[in-house]
Every structure is written in C-alpha cells, then in structure tokens.
C-alpha cells in the first residue's frame, strides 16, 4: 500500500484537490463503509480540539478502523520528557496512520520525516490546518457550485488563524479575489501577501467591516481571535471584539453568500446570525467527516475506484 502524508495543503495540485473533493462527495452519499477494516488510526492531540479530533475519529470508525491515542500530552510519556521523534516512532509501531495536532509550527512536517506511517496534520501552531482546508474547499464548492472566480472575505485573526493561511494557498488554483479584514495587530502576515503576489492571487485589505464592504462577498470566512497564541493578554483584550458579524450587517448580501467559520466561535458571530439563510458553519463542520474519510483513503492508498466499487455499503 502506497504511503502519502497530509501535512500541508500546498503539496496538493488542483487535480488532487478536486479528486479529494469528489471522493468526499462519495462519502457524503455513504459515510459507512469498511474500507479501513483491520487498520488502526492514532490521534495524538497536543492541543485541545472538538471538531477535528472527533470528526477524524468518527471518519476512522465509519470506515471500519479502530482508534488509539491521547487528547492531552500530559497523560502520555511526553510529560516524562519523551521527544516528539520517539513518540512518533513508538506510535508508528502500533498504528497504520497518525493524526496529530501540535502547538509547534512544522511539527507535523518533522514527524512525517521520521515516521514510517502516514502523518496527517490536524493543525500545527499558527501555521497550517490542511484537513480543515479540504473541508472548507468542499463546503465552498457545495454552496457556490464552483471554486472558480469567487470573492472571499477573510475576517478576524489573520495573523494566527492557520485555517486562513491554508485556504489562501489552496485557492491559488481557482482565481479567487481575497479581501482581508483584520485589526492591524492581526493583519495577514507579509509572507502570505508575498505568496499571493507570487501566485497572482488578487487581494485587497479593508479596515471597515460594513454592509457596503461585504456586499460583493460570495464567502465571508470569520475567524476567532486566537487567545492562546498571545504573549500579551492585554493586547488580546484590545483586539478580541473588533470585528463582530451581526445579522443587521447582512442587508446588502448577495443571495448566494455563505458565512463560514472553522469554529469554535467566541464573540465574532452574533447568535442572531445563526438562523440567517447565509449561515453555513454548522453544515461546514459536518462536512469535516466526509473530507476526513477522503483524507484517510488518500493517505492509505485507497483509490476512487475502490471507493466507488465498494461492496460494503
Ligand atoms: N476547526 C477546528 O479545528 O476546530 P477544533 O479546534 O475544535 O478541532
């Protein structure tokens, strides 16, 4: 069986992304299969998670695999000083693939270089969140009927928000126009603006977050201000509520416009938005299951043909 890591999104080309989206569509039709029967998946979470861990574990269970792992490194031998390398080598003895979330940027890449089994990055610091990116692409395609030529507004913490970094890179294949709306302390880092320029991704920056500014949006992608990444909590207090999306701000929105958010939210989307026809963040999180089933197949060498011809459904 061929081994593929899933560590960063820029390692996937346009055809591979569309292939994974099509595979996820197959899993949305039939999530329960036995394509991973006999396999063991490890989930190693060095940082908290609700959606990512539980949807990966659900995906593994729905595909017939079993799951081992930890949700807090303090209950593992990491607390006795075991290195990431040794932990990864040990878990590789037991599991066929490792899903890991780590607070250090580049930790998943490092793990993929030492592990004999596929590594799936479930988020590394403020760097990348490629499985979230795949489910975001899936959701954008599902709501807009295309990934091409869309106006995408990224709002909130664009400095530490790893999901927006991954989305920016993946969308380079689909001619987007990005709009960045962030407090200056949390602006999109220069390295990602350089990336946009190098890949001919058009972007604009706005200070205002008003109905007029967002009137042309196809997607508004809200993000949480990432308190856990601030060294100065006074600075967090200053910026945490700068941009809040309220229902009365949607008066000029296009009919097709959908609001996404990787979640969890804190204050950045008011609860009166939830029953707006533009709200789509709960469905977005549901799509994580299908996207992650496709990621397991990609990493463990299960082809589209095998998925489509699966006799276990
Ligand atoms: N979107 C996301 O990564 O959510 P969790 O932190 O709950 O996994």
């Amino acid at each position: 069986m061929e081994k593929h890591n899933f560590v960063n999104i820029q390692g996937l080309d346009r055809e591979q992304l569309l292939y994974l989206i099509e595979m996820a569509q197959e899993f949305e039709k039939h999530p329960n299969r036995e394509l991973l029967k006999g396999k063991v998946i490890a989930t190693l979470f060095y940082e908290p998670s609700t959606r990512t861990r539980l949807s990966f574990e659900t995906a593994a269970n729905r595909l017939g695999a079993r799951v081992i792992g930890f949700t807090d490194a303090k209950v593992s031998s990491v607390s006795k000083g075991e290195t990431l390398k040794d932990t990864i080598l040990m878990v590789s003895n037991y599991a066929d693939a490792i899903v890991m979330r780590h607070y250090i940027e580049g930790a998943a890449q490092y793990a993929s270089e030492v592990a004999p089994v596929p590594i799936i990055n479930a988020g590394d610091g403020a760097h990348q969140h490629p499985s979230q990116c795949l489910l975001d692409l899936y959701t954008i395609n599902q709501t807009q009927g295309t990934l091409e030529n869309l106006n995408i507004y990224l709002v909130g913490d664009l400095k530490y928000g790893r999901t927006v970094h991954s989305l920016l890179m993946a969308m380079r294949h689909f001619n987007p126009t990005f709009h960045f709306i962030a407090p200056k302390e949390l602006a999109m880092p220069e390295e990602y603006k350089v990336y946009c320029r190098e890949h001919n991704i058009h972007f604009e920056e706005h200070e205002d977050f008003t109905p007029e500014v967002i009137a042309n949006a196809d997607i508004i992608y809200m993000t949480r201000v990432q308190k856990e990444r601030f060294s100065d909590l006074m600075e967090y207090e200053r910026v945490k509520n700068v941009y809040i999306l309220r229902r009365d701000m949607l008066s000029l929105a296009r009919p097709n416009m959908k609001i996404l958010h990787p979640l969890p939210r804190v204050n950045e989307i008011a609860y009166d938005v939830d029953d707006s026809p533009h709200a789509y963040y709960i469905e977005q999180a549901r799509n994580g299951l299908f996207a992650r089933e496709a990621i397991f197949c990609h990493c463990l060498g299960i082809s589209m043909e095998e998925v489509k011809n699966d006799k276990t459904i």
Side-chain angles (χ1 to χ4, degrees):
M1 198 175 272
E2 202 179 345
K3 168 194 150 170
H4 288 117
N5 299 303
F6 196 83
V7 166
N8 60 54
I9 205 69
Q10 66 271 34
L12 296 171
D13 63 25
R14 177 189 162 91
E15 283 63 40
Q16 287 171 312
L17 291 171
L18 293 174
Y19 180 91
L20 286 171
I21 289 170
E22 187 187 345
M23 193 180 274
Q25 287 167 337
E26 291 296 315
F27 287 118
E28 181 164 13
K29 286 184 232 163
H30 298 289
N32 297 329
R33 309 180 183 233
E34 300 208 344
L35 292 162
L36 297 188
K37 192 170 166 51
K39 302 282 181 209
V40 173
I41 303 293
T43 57
L44 310 185
F45 277 69
Y46 293 76
E47 279 194 329
S49 167
T50 298
R51 279 146 292 275
T52 308
R53 184 176 66 81
L54 293 178
S55 61
F56 264 121
E57 294 189 358
T58 305
N61 279 293
R62 289 195 181 276
L63 292 173
R66 291 181 215 180
V67 178
I68 60 170
F70 54 74
T71 58
D72 180 350
K74 288 203 281 295
V75 301
S76 77
S77 286
V78 173
S79 62
K80 302 176 205 161
E82 186 161 66
T83 62
L84 180 59
K85 179 180 179 182
D86 284 356
T87 301
I88 293 296
L89 289 175
M90 287 310 106
V91 177
S92 299
N93 283 331
Y94 313 134
D96 298 286
I98 298 173
V99 178
M100 63 175 283
R101 170 171 288 186
H102 204 285
Y103 48 86
I104 295 177
E105 297 186 16
Q109 177 64 39
Y110 173 73
S112 75
E113 288 164 14
V114 299
V117 300
I119 296 292
I120 299 171
N121 182 4
D124 59 327
H127 184 222
Q128 285 236 358
H129 196 344
S131 68
Q132 176 73 42
C133 185
L134 185 65
L135 79 89
D136 291 342
L137 295 181
Y138 185 85
T139 306
I140 293 169
N141 186 59
Q142 184 180 59
T143 59
Q144 306 300 316
T146 181
L147 290 170
E148 306 285 349
N149 306 318
L150 297 173
N151 282 321
I152 301 179
Y153 286 61
L154 306 178
V155 185
D157 185 348
L158 307 187
K159 178 179 180 186
Y160 297 119
R162 56 194 172 199
T163 66
V164 293
H165 302 156
S166 293
L167 185 60
L168 191 71
M169 292 175 150
M171 285 301 295
R172 76 186 186 277
H173 302 295
F174 305 105
N175 193 36
T177 299
F178 277 105
H179 298 257
F180 303 151
I181 304 180
K184 66 177 182 331
E185 297 88 342
L186 300 176
M188 183 62 78
E190 192 55 32
E191 67 184 280
Y192 292 102
K193 293 189 208 166
V194 169
Y195 185 91
C196 287
R197 292 185 195 105
E198 285 175 354
H199 292 84
N200 295 320
I201 301 172
H202 184 63
F203 70 89
E204 297 173 18
E205 294 182 274
H206 308 268
E207 282 184 18
D208 294 336
F209 187 36
T210 61
E212 291 73 21
V213 169
I214 60 178
N216 289 329
D218 298 303
I219 295 290
I220 298 178
Y221 193 102
M222 299 296 298
T223 61
R224 174 179 67 90
V225 176
Q226 310 252 311
K227 183 178 182 182
E228 66 274 27
R229 314 246 181 254
F230 281 75
S231 49
D232 176 359
L233 282 183
M234 290 300 286
E235 186 172 320
Y236 169 75
E237 291 298 325
R238 273 197 301 278
V239 296
K240 68 178 185 185
N241 289 327
V242 172
Y243 295 117
I244 298 176
L245 182 62
R246 303 181 199 283
R247 187 155 180 153
D248 61 11
M249 294 166 64
L250 303 174
S251 55
L252 302 178
R254 289 179 171 176
N256 64 303
M257 190 278 282
K258 293 296 179 202
I259 302 159
L260 306 186
H261 190 312
L263 304 177
R265 77 172 137 180
V266 183
N267 283 328
E268 57 279 358
I269 301 179
Y271 280 92
D272 66 357
V273 175
D274 288 2
D275 55 3
S276 153
H278 299 290
Y280 209 75
Y281 26 92
I282 303 300
E283 294 89 339
Q284 177 189 5
R286 179 173 180 269
N287 288 337
L289 170 61
F290 317 126
R292 288 172 174 127
E293 288 189 279
I295 290 168
F296 280 136
C297 289
H298 168 75
C299 291
L300 291 166
I302 295 169
S303 69
M304 182 81 78
E305 198 180 0
E306 286 171 272
V307 172
K308 287 189 172 171
N309 293 333
D310 177 21
K311 300 286 185 282
T312 62
I313 51 175

